[in-house]
Amino acid sequence: MTEIYLTDCCFEEDAEKRCKELLQSGLLIDPDCPEVYQTMASVRLSQNRPDDARDCVAKSMALWADKELTDLTQIPSYENRLALVRLLLELDDKEKALGLLELLQKEDDENVDAWYLFGWTYHLQSEDVATAGSDEDKAELLRSSRECFKQAIKLANMLGYDNDGLIDHALELVAAVDAILPPSEDDEEEDEGAPAVPNEPEWDDIASEDEDVEMGS
């Protein structure tokens, strides 16, 4: 319900007040619900309070990051965790985003959104490297982003995925990378299967970081 006031009803005069009331009700009902803190992070970000949003994300993740990840009743849904990846990227926390994407890929390696977000994260990292890194590092990240975008496009065609905007963006970015780094024969051969995703941070390390944040708060 809170998300409705963040999107469809965001221009209503009492939208912010209603968001606050709904979040407070959620915390009263279940103070250990990670989704409440995740939604609170989205609200704080919409209020241009990124530091508070990061604190809410840390609290949310600390509530489930050390749970048994094979027991899906103990952790947020796949879609909620995909939304968390997007939130982490908005907060410029690419390392945690990659660690979470690694976990999501292990659960479902045919999810179009996950592959797109992998590609988008590598693309953002390539922009960071462009200002403080080597040309070789940037090229490697661009190749990784292209492989992930191509996998998202391939799966979208196979599965009848209907988010045209996302796939159009993936196609646009593949073309942009091709213009910089024309695909080699090896790249074409790799397209036959799912791309390997290099250098993801370990999820256990990320979970430990969030536990430390929670203990220190």
Side-chain angles (χ1 to χ4, degrees):
M1 180 64 75
T2 304
E3 292 179 356
I4 293 176
Y5 285 95
L6 284 172
T7 53
D8 297 351
C9 302
C10 64
F11 294 112
E12 293 188 7
E13 290 184 6
D14 64 343
E16 187 169 340
K17 179 182 176 183
R18 289 290 296 147
C19 280
K20 183 177 180 180
E21 291 172 351
L22 289 166
L23 288 169
Q24 287 175 339
S25 296
L27 288 174
L28 286 172
I29 294 169
D30 187 356
D32 294 327
C33 177
E35 288 90 344
V36 174
Y37 288 104
Q38 183 174 322
T39 303
M40 191 179 295
S42 295
V43 172
R44 296 293 175 259
L45 196 56
S46 72
Q47 296 169 331
N48 198 26
R49 295 165 58 182
D51 289 339
D52 291 336
R54 290 186 185 93
D55 289 343
C56 292
V57 165
K59 289 178 181 178
S60 174
M61 295 181 72
L63 289 168
W64 63 268
D66 64 340
K67 303 293 186 183
E68 180 56 55
L69 298 180
T70 56
D71 183 357
L72 300 184
T73 64
Q74 297 294 310
I75 59 177
S77 70
Y78 196 97
E79 290 302 319
N80 268 316
R81 282 175 286 149
L82 274 178
L84 178 56
V85 171
R86 296 185 179 94
L87 187 55
L88 287 167
L89 291 177
E90 287 190 72
L91 292 169
D92 198 30
D93 197 338
K94 303 178 191 72
E95 289 301 309
K96 281 187 181 177
L98 283 174
L100 185 50
L101 283 167
E102 177 191 12
L103 174 68
L104 292 166
Q105 184 200 27
K106 288 177 179 177
E107 287 182 33
D108 180 3
D109 64 359
E110 293 189 347
N111 186 283
V112 175
D113 290 80
W115 281 110
Y116 168 83
L117 288 170
F118 254 131
W120 182 234
T121 305
Y122 287 127
H123 184 83
L124 293 174
Q125 285 188 322
S126 75
E127 293 179 343
D128 293 341
V129 169
T131 58
S134 70
D135 290 342
E136 184 179 345
D137 290 339
K138 179 181 178 181
E140 180 181 353
L141 287 165
L142 285 173
R143 289 190 185 96
S144 295
S145 73
R146 176 169 59 195
E147 290 174 15
C148 294
F149 285 136
K150 284 186 174 180
Q151 183 67 4
I153 295 163
K154 177 181 177 180
L155 288 170
N157 290 331
M158 288 173 52
L159 302 173
Y161 186 80
D162 60 0
N163 189 337
D164 291 337
L166 184 147
I167 297 305
D168 287 345
H169 190 225
L171 288 165
E172 177 186 334
L173 290 169
V174 167
V177 175
D178 284 349
I180 300 169
L181 299 169
S184 65
E185 290 183 8
D186 290 340
D187 292 329
E188 297 297 334
E189 290 176 4
E190 287 175 2
D191 286 344
E192 296 300 317
V197 181
N199 301 325
E200 312 101 324
E202 291 293 329
W203 176 252
D204 289 344
D205 294 337
I206 292 173
S208 297
E209 288 176 13
D210 288 305
E211 288 173 17
D212 292 341
V213 169
E214 180 68 9
M215 290 174 67
S217 62

